Amino acid sequence: MTTKQRLLYIICMFTDFAVFIEVFTVSRGLAEADAEPYYLGIVGAGFSFTAGVASIMGGLLARRFDSRMIFQLGAALVALTIGGTMLAADTQFLLPIYWLQGIGLGFLYPPLIGWLNQDEDAHANSRGVSRTLILFCVAWNFGMMCGQLTAGSLYVLGKSWPLGAALAVAVVNLVLAVVVARMPLQRKPRDEESEVAEPHPHVALATAFKRLSWIANLGGMFGGAMIVHLLPDLAVAIDIPADDHGYLLASWRAVIIATYFVMHYFAFWHYRFSVAVVTQILGAGGLIVVSQADSAFALLIGLALLGQLVGYNYFSGLFYSTAGSSNDSRALAAGIHEATLAAGMAVGTIVGGVLGSMYGHRVPYLMSAAVLLSLVVVQGAAWWNWVRPIHQRRKRAILDNVAVVDDGVSVDTVCATSE
């Protein structure tokens, strides 16, 4: 691991630590001020929408122009918007400043993810790529978890305390971003044979699963948005205090991180659609449990079931985006991955907020479960059209006595274990 990579992991952690202190403080403050669920939905949807659009823009700009400049601009916007939120906490300017935060995230993460796996062959060195991805995922989730715990603990002292802590960390993060942007990439040496190597046989399969993961992201974060932006409303309604609310969110993140470790150490899920289906069904069950919860313990069970889905979708989506993209297009693939997550959050938050205002606090979670299960059907149809033909071509290759080998695993083994 290079020094630059270590600093990038620290930046991931600091970014989400600062941003999710802000998210917790703003959403909890609005809920305690008796804001309607539809308004919480608008606030959260605007944040997610700007993050989604900016993720695609950040990926495109990083590919076309100097990615270092885009990266530093993202870090600067994160710090500026947290400072602006402190100053505009009780004014009409809170929403546009809060939404601007999404642009900072969208500009920062695509180039960062592209740098982490620069020059890595996800097929020849899948273990190394997985190690890079899990460190990245753990870094930002650990930052988010610590941010939610810190926000829940400091919130009882007043809104300025958690936001002040977030601003201090964001300023340090900006300094680190400037330092990292001035460091060389330290590319790995590549021999002439690797430059002209044929595309790996699994590239087509990875590309198909990459697209499937984008559909899964929409459903998973449709439900995840409820937890990030609308759970404060339910927590206040069932009398869960702010510090317990913070512990619940941190526990949710702990389950997500544990899922990453399972996926890193065991490869049973690689190119298996059935695993994705099971995780989504469990996630839908978690949303149903949350919808019926009347205690912190019941919420914890529901959040754990949903958390394994959020962890699976994020890690698998990044893995397939890396494996199914060329070196130059990884920042863009990461941007689309982040954008589909943000799109699911944006739509889920605003639809859930409107339904919450019309029909009660619990209905949005039931609706999210229904949407999630519906998108499983959509993914099944997409798998039939995108993945099944690839397996059929490989089986025909076996019949024609064409040996296709991937990391020592023959085609007949791959076809037998993949769906």
Side-chain angles (χ1 to χ4, degrees), residues 163-182:
L163 289 175
L167 180 60
V169 172
V171 170
V172 173
N173 201 44
L174 174 58
V175 174
L176 290 177
V178 173
V179 171
V180 166
R182 296 175 180 272

Side-chain angles (χ1 to χ4, degrees), residues 27-47:
S27 59
R28 180 79 190 194
L30 291 172
E32 290 186 351
D34 296 324
E36 288 288 334
Y38 82 86
Y39 186 74
L40 290 176
I42 292 173
V43 173
F47 181 93

Side-chain angles (χ1 to χ4, degrees), residues 10 70 172 206 219 234 281 299 311 315 339:
I10 294 173
I70 306 303
V172 173
L234 180 60
I281 292 173
L299 279 179
F315 193 86

Side-chain angles (χ1 to χ4, degrees), residues 1 27 52 57 97 116 121 129 184 241 276 322 330 334 341 402:
M1 184 189 303
S27 59
M57 289 177 57
I97 293 174
L116 283 175
D121 187 335
V129 170
T322 301
R330 283 178 180 171
L341 292 166
V402 177

Side-chain angles (χ1 to χ4, degrees), residues 205 208-209 212 382-392 419:
L205 195 59
F209 271 86
L212 284 174
W383 177 88
W384 185 268
N385 289 307
W386 297 344
V387 180
R388 184 170 171 271
I390 297 174
H391 293 318
Q392 288 179 327
E419 294 154 51

Side-chain angles (χ1 to χ4, degrees), residues 57-70 111 115:
M57 289 177 57
L60 287 170
L61 293 172
R63 184 180 183 183
R64 184 173 180 83
F65 301 107
D66 189 344
S67 59
R68 296 171 300 176
M69 179 183 66
I70 306 303
W115 290 340

Side-chain angles (χ1 to χ4, degrees), residues 292-358:
Q292 304 303 310
D294 56 5
S295 67
F297 180 75
L299 279 179
L300 179 62
I301 299 300
L303 290 175
L305 289 170
L306 181 61
Q308 60 79 34
L309 168 62
V310 174
Y312 178 87
N313 278 356
Y314 195 85
F315 193 86
S316 64
L318 276 183
F319 180 84
Y320 295 135
S321 292
T322 301
S325 304
S326 66
N327 207 41
D328 293 335
S329 62
R330 283 178 180 171
L332 178 58
I336 296 174
H337 170 71
E338 297 291 330
T340 53
L341 292 166
M345 288 192 73
V347 177
T349 304
I350 196 163
V351 173
V354 170
L355 288 178
S357 291
M358 294 175 63

